[in-house]
Amino acid sequence: TTPQHSTSSTILQPSYNIILDPIVYRSSLLYNVSTMSTPSTTTHEVHLAIYDLSMGMARGLSAQFLGPQHAVEIIPHTAIVAYGKEYFFGQGIEWCSPHEFRATRGIQPIEIQPLGHTSCTEQQFEDWCRAQAANGSFGTQSYDLIHRNCNNFSEEAARQGLRLQKGVPQWILEVPQKFLSSPMGMMVRPILEQMQISNNAPTNLPTGGAGSVRMAQPTIAPTTSSAAAAVTAVNPWANIPAAASTPATGTSSPAKQTSPATPLLDKQSALLSTDTGVVKICIYRLKPEQEQSELLSKLADTNASWTQKDINSVHQYLRSVIDNDTQYISYALMLLRLIVLRQPSSADLSSNEEPSQSAQHVAKLLLEDKLKTLPTRSMAWCVLSNAMGSTQPPDWDVSTGTDSLIDRALSDSDPSKDGVSSPSHVSLRQSAAAFLYNLTICNDGGTDDAVENGNTELSEGVMSILLGCLEHLHEEADVTTCKRHYMAIGQLLKSRRFGETAVGLVKDLGLVDEEIGKGKNKEVEGLAKEVAVLLQ
């Protein structure tokens, strides 16, 4: 269970400050790597780095998914830290500097435990690593989720390779079996078995000449990172990728030739959460009647054919669960985010009545503060984000209060609140920001005359999104949320209905600082520059 680096998705990078029991977040988390060797020339200090691949979500949700008897505190990944390097196992044994590993994987340890001092030299330990690869103990094809994972490597590396008395805590070694012994664990085992890194380890390469050791380079794979996959297994509403499909109805058409060049903003489309890996888990927990179970199972197949009657039935059933079985709201919302994206076949007459009712129902839950946990609120925003980004957005009832919903989304995406760096808060901000962006897409429809003018008066809701997102950017540390705020701002500034009005307002207030996006990542910096171009 080793996290991958992915170029195709954004990984949450929280400032991990939650205290997990029995994991204790110690001051040693800030340990200076340069001091990890003692001044002695004969012994070297060894530490165990412990990571939580679920980014804090396992503790809050595992009991719901797995049952109290099988609940786990974290989804652990461990690595040996010695000689100023971090040694870990996936498809082969790799090593690099701790800073490099954490920066390229976008994950930080929740604890660093001292294991003691070893008399083994760096060369001797790395020779042991190569021997383990050569004899198949920890080779490229050796990985096994239960018996040969990263934690088993850390255990043997500490006790055998480095000849220490202390290794990996027993409770960490028991997590896979505890998790997979549950009914839900058996269902998600295929997902977890994919949490392996690509084949690029020093143990798979010839030993360098003159006794040199070739250090592993950061592994870059085109697939979803295992850290993100771990989160998705229990948190499918986080890290929503931009949909590759046709943008939702109401998306603005390409900018006129006279418009400033904004290629990054132009390529963005609706943000949709389409992961179907949790459908079976949700059905198992909801235990619907056979006929309804068969309909819900179709949600796992994105190519399944739907009738309007079936879509309506699923909407009605999930709303009844939300109203009558509060302990299962999370599961109902997970499925509701998928059904709002389903449309009847072309031969069937499409009706938006049930999807609109579901969207209004979820909006009411948020506005009346009936969703008490952060993960459940995140899922609710995911439902609304998908609804607004679908090919047939909901017909909002005026009584629902769209402006009030915008205010609530801005409140939930506020980075200045307490606990802002916790994974649950980061996930909530990401989901609320996705809703705000998709809402800006739907707000760019209108008549041809309005489109040509570009100076339509800004509504209260549009002004709230524009000014709220600009304000949040000053304190937002999460890259994914920053990106979504810039996308929403750019969409409003480029609007053919009211773009000129929006640009004029922001200029008059002097709200955009070109320095805000610097230091995030290249895409955020690029989006920030394009927003600045629109304001010139």
Side-chain angles (χ1 to χ4, degrees):
T1 52
T2 305
Q4 296 177 334
H5 175 62
S6 170
T7 58
S8 62
S9 63
T10 303
I11 304 175
L12 298 179
Q13 300 185 33
S15 302
Y16 225 98
N17 64 355
I18 343 187
I19 296 179
L20 298 181
D21 183 19
I23 298 292
V24 179
Y25 183 87
R26 299 180 178 175
S27 59
S28 59
L29 186 61
L30 306 177
Y31 198 87
N32 189 330
V33 173
S34 64
T35 66
M36 285 190 176
S37 293
T38 65
S40 170
T41 58
T42 57
T43 63
H44 304 272
E45 196 167 4
V46 181
H47 288 77
L48 180 73
I50 303 174
Y51 299 83
D52 178 11
L53 295 185
S54 76
M55 302 289 190
M57 302 305 296
R59 190 183 193 192
L61 292 179
S62 65
Q64 296 181 41
F65 280 94
L66 309 176
Q69 298 84 357
H70 303 281
V72 295
E73 293 288 329
I74 66 173
I75 298 180
H77 162 73
T78 58
I80 295 292
V81 180
Y83 318 109
K85 300 177 183 178
E86 189 152 338
Y87 298 80
F88 53 96
F89 175 63
Q91 285 186 340
I93 303 170
E94 294 195 38
W95 55 83
C96 59
S97 74
H99 173 76
E100 185 175 39
F101 175 84
R102 296 159 196 175
T104 56
R105 273 74 178 182
I107 190 170
Q108 292 293 324
I110 59 173
E111 182 183 4
I112 297 179
Q113 288 189 358
L115 296 183
H117 291 77
T118 181
S119 59
C120 288
T121 66
E122 179 179 347
Q123 183 66 57
Q124 287 173 332
F125 178 60
E126 291 180 358
D127 285 346
W128 178 87
C129 290
R130 295 183 187 280
Q132 299 308 299
N135 66 25
S137 296
F138 291 99
T140 58
Q141 306 300 320
S142 304
Y143 190 93
D144 179 87
L145 182 62
I146 299 177
H147 305 294
R148 270 286 180 268
N149 57 44
C150 58
N151 303 315
N152 301 122
F153 164 74
S154 296
E155 168 74 1
E156 294 193 21
R159 296 186 184 275
Q160 299 179 20
L162 296 168
R163 299 191 290 275
L164 299 172
Q165 295 298 313
K166 187 177 180 181
V168 177
Q170 187 62 31
W171 68 267
I172 289 182
L173 297 176
E174 293 173 352
V175 165
Q177 187 59 57
K178 183 178 181 181
F179 175 65
L180 294 174
S181 63
S182 70
M184 293 301 98
M186 296 303 295
M187 290 184 182
V188 300
R189 178 169 182 159
I191 298 175
L192 297 179
E193 286 178 337
Q194 295 175 12
M195 293 182 188
Q196 302 177 27
I197 53 179
S198 59
N199 189 356
N200 182 24
T203 49
N204 305 329
L205 303 171
T207 305
S212 64
V213 179
R214 182 164 184 177
M215 186 177 72
Q217 298 300 313
T219 304
I220 299 177
T223 56
T224 304
S225 73
S226 60
V231 176
T232 301
V234 293
N235 183 20
W237 57 93
N239 288 320
I240 308 173
S245 57
T246 303
T249 300
T251 303
S252 58
S253 59
K256 294 180 286 188
Q257 293 297 318
T258 56
S259 300
T262 53
L264 288 177
L265 290 170
D266 293 342
K267 77 175 184 179
Q268 305 300 333
S269 58
L271 295 170
L272 303 178
S273 175
T274 59
D275 172 67
T276 60
V278 296
V279 171
K280 288 184 178 180
I281 298 174
C282 293
I283 295 174
Y284 176 87
R285 299 298 290 182
L286 294 176
K287 295 180 172 57
E289 298 293 335
Q290 180 65 30
E291 183 178 354
Q292 192 62 244
S293 178
E294 292 176 358
L295 286 178
L296 294 174
S297 297
K298 291 172 61 176
L299 290 171
D301 181 5
T302 56
N303 296 318
S305 178
W306 290 84
T307 66
Q308 187 65 59
K309 180 181 177 181
D310 290 344
I311 291 176
N312 292 347
S313 176
V314 172
H315 276 282
Q316 292 164 8
Y317 168 73
L318 294 176
R319 291 202 303 269
S320 70
V321 171
I322 292 172
D323 288 339
N324 301 314
D325 297 299
T326 56
Q327 62 178 320
Y328 298 123
I329 286 180
S330 297
Y331 304 104
L333 290 174
M334 286 184 195
L335 297 180
L336 197 57
R337 73 186 169 89
L338 296 177
I339 193 60
V340 297
L341 296 175
R342 302 299 186 259
Q343 297 294 326
S345 61
S346 57
D348 200 6
L349 183 63
S350 177
S351 170
N352 204 30
E353 181 179 353
E354 289 296 334
S356 293
Q357 284 190 30
S358 293
Q360 292 171 20
H361 201 75
V362 174
K364 187 176 180 181
L365 293 174
L366 286 164
L367 291 174
E368 295 181 357
D369 201 24
K370 292 185 176 179
L371 304 176
K372 301 303 181 181
T373 67
L374 296 181
T376 307
R377 277 159 57 190
S378 295
M379 281 184 279
W381 286 120
C382 192
V383 172
L384 296 182
S385 177
N386 277 10
M388 299 309 298
S390 67
T391 57
Q392 195 172 3
D395 299 323
W396 290 103
D397 189 319
V398 177
S399 62
T400 303
T402 306
D403 290 345
S404 297
L405 193 61
I406 291 172
D407 290 340
R408 184 57 192 260
L410 288 170
S411 175
D412 279 352
S413 61
D414 185 354
S416 65
K417 294 184 176 181
D418 292 339
V420 65
S421 60
S422 73
S424 295
H425 275 90
V426 173
S427 174
L428 178 63
R429 298 203 307 278
Q430 289 180 349
S431 299
F435 166 75
L436 290 170
Y437 169 68
N438 284 353
L439 193 58
T440 65
I441 293 178
C442 293
N443 266 276
D444 204 29
T447 64
D448 292 339
D449 290 340
V451 166
E452 288 301 322
N453 288 335
N455 56 9
T456 302
E457 183 178 350
L458 299 179
S459 68
E460 183 178 342
V462 169
M463 288 182 62
S464 295
I465 296 174
L466 182 61
L467 302 182
C469 289
L470 283 168
E471 181 181 356
H472 288 348
L473 283 172
H474 288 275
E475 296 187 48
E476 183 56 69
D478 176 60
V479 170
T480 299
T481 309
C482 275
K483 176 183 173 182
R484 291 172 186 175
H485 285 327
Y486 272 118
M487 289 163 58
I489 294 166
Q491 180 71 24
L492 295 177
L493 296 179
K494 288 175 63 66
S495 170
R496 296 178 300 156
R497 289 180 57 203
F498 43 71
E500 292 183 14
T501 308
V503 169
L505 174 65
V506 176
K507 281 184 176 181
D508 291 342
L509 296 177
L511 292 177
V512 168
D513 181 354
E514 294 185 32
E515 300 296 318
I516 294 176
K518 291 186 177 180
K520 304 294 184 183
N521 69 5
K522 289 184 177 180
E523 189 168 10
V524 171
E525 290 180 356
L527 288 169
K529 289 179 181 179
E530 291 187 2
V531 166
V533 167
L534 292 172
L535 293 169
Q536 291 177 354

